Amino acid sequence: MKIENTEKSTEEYIVKETWGTMTLGKKIEYLWMYYKGWLAGALCLVLVICIGVSMYKGIRTKVLLNAVVIGGNDLKAEWLEESFAEYADISEKDGVLQIRTNIPDDGGEMTSTTALTTLMGADAIDVLVCPKRVYEDYSAHDGFLDMKELLGAEAGGSGDTILDDGVRLKDENILSKEEMTSYEEIYAAVPVNSQNPEMAAKFIEYLLQ
């Protein structure tokens, strides 16, 4: 035992004397060789803390609106969130707005159909902005709330078409002006399982400007 301690002390002395001249690679190699247990534990601890913080933020953060823009321009998602927040006088302390633009307008292929069906089934969409085909598919199965009842006195608009369970935006609408979508006819509707119908109605009003 005494010999082992002497060898360890000698090695620590050598490392201490040569530490300043070691390359970064050598330092990392030494630390990993002799302290990998501690380093692995520290990394696990940091990972657990990060996951915990993310979960805590997720629980504490109030989602005010989940909107999906089929075939939307990813570069414009942040603009849309900020523009609507300004319109509705929403600040960061009120909660967050989540606008997804990652479901492609692929003509009803498996990728977009599965993604949209999953989100709809999970009650994760408050407003759906989509081309005519998608709107008609879900409308035929009574998938949207009564739009005139939802909007009330706001169920009007210059050049917009207010349907029983959705709206067809006018040609020169705010989304087309900002090149948010590429399809000509833009429809918007509120799914029957919307978790935030009041904010959804506010978003529809915003689109009808």
Side-chain angles (χ1 to χ4, degrees):
M1 181 66 69
K2 185 175 181 180
I3 294 175
E4 290 179 356
N5 288 336
T6 301
E7 290 177 348
K8 184 176 181 181
S9 299
T10 302
E11 183 177 348
E12 289 177 348
Y13 174 78
I14 294 173
V15 170
K16 183 178 180 181
E17 290 296 314
T18 61
W19 182 263
T21 61
M22 283 185 181
T23 63
L24 179 61
K26 284 293 184 181
K27 289 178 180 178
I28 293 175
E29 182 181 348
Y30 173 81
L31 289 173
W32 180 250
M33 181 179 298
Y34 293 98
Y35 300 101
K36 58 185 175 183
W38 288 98
L39 292 174
L43 288 173
C44 288
L45 179 61
V46 170
L47 182 60
V48 169
I49 292 174
C50 289
I51 293 174
V53 170
S54 297
M55 292 177 65
Y56 177 78
K57 286 183 177 179
I59 295 173
R60 299 284 295 180
T61 300
K62 182 179 181 180
V63 178
L64 302 175
L65 179 76
N66 278 306
V68 170
V69 181
I70 300 295
N73 184 342
D74 293 341
L75 300 177
K76 291 289 185 177
E78 185 175 352
W79 159 81
L80 187 55
E81 291 175 1
E82 294 175 352
S83 180
F84 174 60
E86 182 178 356
Y87 171 85
D89 193 24
I90 297 171
S91 63
E92 290 185 5
K93 63 181 179 60
D94 297 322
V96 297
L97 304 170
Q98 296 183 345
I99 298 180
R100 294 185 177 89
T101 57
N102 57 347
I103 299 181
D105 176 27
D106 57 9
E109 295 294 328
M110 183 64 71
T111 300
S112 62
T113 301
T114 301
L116 185 56
T117 300
T118 300
L119 289 174
M120 292 284 268
D123 301 349
I125 301 179
D126 294 311
V127 177
L128 177 63
V129 178
C130 59
K132 182 178 181 180
R133 174 189 54 78
V134 177
Y135 163 74
E136 290 182 339
D137 284 347
Y138 282 93
S139 178
H141 293 88
D142 300 320
F144 300 126
L145 294 177
D146 186 304
M147 186 56 64
K148 293 180 180 178
E149 181 179 331
L150 192 66
L151 294 181
E154 298 297 328
S158 176
D160 303 297
T161 302
I162 308 298
L163 308 169
D164 289 338
D165 58 357
V167 298
R168 179 191 180 281
L169 302 184
K170 60 188 176 183
D171 294 337
E172 293 298 318
N173 61 78
I174 190 170
L175 298 183
S176 61
K177 288 179 179 178
E178 292 292 334
E179 298 181 344
M180 185 69 190
T181 62
S182 58
Y183 38 90
E184 293 183 1
E185 292 185 299
I186 302 176
Y187 286 76
V190 178
V192 293
N193 53 6
S194 169
Q195 299 299 297
N196 302 287
E198 292 184 1
M199 189 61 70
K202 193 74 174 178
F203 189 70
I204 295 293
E205 293 173 14
Y206 162 80
L207 297 178
L208 293 175
Q209 293 181 96

